[in-house]
Amino acid sequence: MRALRILTYNVRRCVGGDGRADPSRIAEVIARHAPDIVALQELDVGRARTGHVDQAHAIAHHLAMAFHFHPAITVEEERYGDAILTALPVRLVKAGPLPGLPHRPRLEARGALWVAVDLGGGVELHVINTHLGLRAAEREVQVEALLGGGWLGHPECRGQRVVLLGDFNAMPRSRAYLRLAGRLRDAQRALPEHHRPHPTFPARWPMLRIDHVFLGEGIEALRAEVPRGMPERVASDHLPLVVDLRIATTGPA
């Protein structure tokens, strides 16, 4: 068995509740919780609005981690998207767009990023980070894509130890959430009955549980926390979700 801590966090281009863009502040919040794997959404890379900083690189450098970044949006030299960071051996499996609504071509583009983390002994943990759309119909189309042959249904992913996580913009009673929960286990709900799942948004007064960690076979959730200290409440408009996992490293996933 292998213990790991994983963290997912929508960082809102590193702009805090005080209106200040500060990747180092985001990195410090992450470091407080010492995760092994970090999934981030809403990163700016080279964008004028946040000082042309490569936020993915800046945060990874601060944490002494390697990273993979996928831009959901690219406009000339400016990019905006999601990243996965870790100090463990990691390889990129796939990064690509998710479908939108054909009759709504101006909706914000969405994507997903898939890496395989080497746990040793020939065992890999497959991690897919995503950020789904704001409209229910859009999310449902994107969930079907994630469940399909290009992602979770892909031969390299199917039957493997897999974690799907990110900002799903989907509450637990939504169709998108229920569709995912029918295939994978919600880490917060997989804990003992006395654990009450915690909301992550908005950061100052969290009421909505829209950031999730979903688990495949061979992975056990040990603990989940949504930290609500002052640094977390100021750094972004979401709170991070931190989950401790125990992963089988022998036998089938």
Side-chain angles (χ1 to χ4, degrees):
M1 306 294 286
R2 173 69 183 266
L4 281 178
R5 173 168 288 181
I6 199 162
L7 179 150
T8 182
Y9 195 8
N10 181 323
V11 299
R12 193 178 67 164
R13 61 191 187 275
C14 299
V15 175
D18 55 4
R20 181 164 56 91
D22 189 350
S24 65
R25 177 167 58 183
I26 291 290
E28 288 164 6
V29 166
I30 295 168
R32 284 162 57 91
H33 308 290
D36 299 291
I37 302 170
V38 179
L40 302 178
Q41 305 86 42
E42 293 197 18
L43 288 163
D44 275 1
V45 171
R47 301 201 73 176
R49 67 182 182 181
T50 46
H52 300 283
V53 174
D54 184 335
Q55 295 181 342
H57 180 272
I59 295 169
H61 179 75
H62 187 108
L63 297 172
M65 290 180 169
F67 73 98
H68 289 283
F69 171 76
H70 173 250
I73 298 173
T74 300
V75 179
E76 296 181 351
E77 300 300 317
E78 298 191 353
R79 297 183 292 165
Y80 171 77
D82 313 314
I84 297 175
L85 294 66
T86 184
L88 297 169
V90 62
R91 65 181 177 92
L92 176 66
V93 180
K94 180 179 178 179
L98 293 177
L101 299 176
H103 61 288
R104 297 277 186 174
R106 295 187 179 181
L107 291 176
E108 182 177 311
R110 306 289 174 164
L113 175 64
W114 171 8
V115 304
V117 179
D118 185 355
L119 302 182
V123 175
E124 291 182 319
L125 176 68
H126 290 255
V127 180
I128 301 175
N129 178 24
T130 192
H131 183 197
L132 302 188
L134 296 175
R135 293 175 176 268
E138 183 186 7
R139 291 192 295 271
E140 290 168 25
V141 169
Q142 291 160 355
V143 163
E144 290 307 314
L146 287 168
L147 292 172
W151 297 94
L152 291 167
H154 189 279
E156 192 166 351
C157 191
R158 190 170 58 243
Q160 302 298 320
R161 297 157 182 84
V162 61
V163 176
L164 171 68
L165 76 174
D167 177 0
F168 294 84
N169 279 310
M171 293 287 287
R173 292 185 180 181
S174 69
R175 290 184 180 181
Y177 171 93
L178 293 172
R179 186 77 174 91
L180 289 170
R183 176 79 70 88
L184 303 168
R185 290 167 294 121
D186 179 342
Q188 290 210 67
R189 286 189 165 170
L191 291 166
E193 292 183 3
H194 66 267
H195 173 81
R196 181 180 178 182
H198 301 301
T200 54
F201 181 84
R204 288 189 178 273
W205 302 103
M207 296 180 289
L208 305 179
R209 195 162 79 87
I210 58 176
D211 300 279
H212 305 291
V213 174
F214 291 102
L215 308 177
E217 296 301 317
I219 305 174
E220 178 186 0
L222 301 178
R223 178 177 174 272
E225 179 187 9
V226 176
R228 294 184 59 180
M230 186 57 68
E232 289 85 1
R233 288 161 57 194
V234 172
S236 174
D237 62 342
H238 286 240
L239 296 171
L241 170 59
V242 185
V243 180
D244 289 333
L245 306 173
R246 184 159 53 205
I247 301 164
T249 53
T250 59

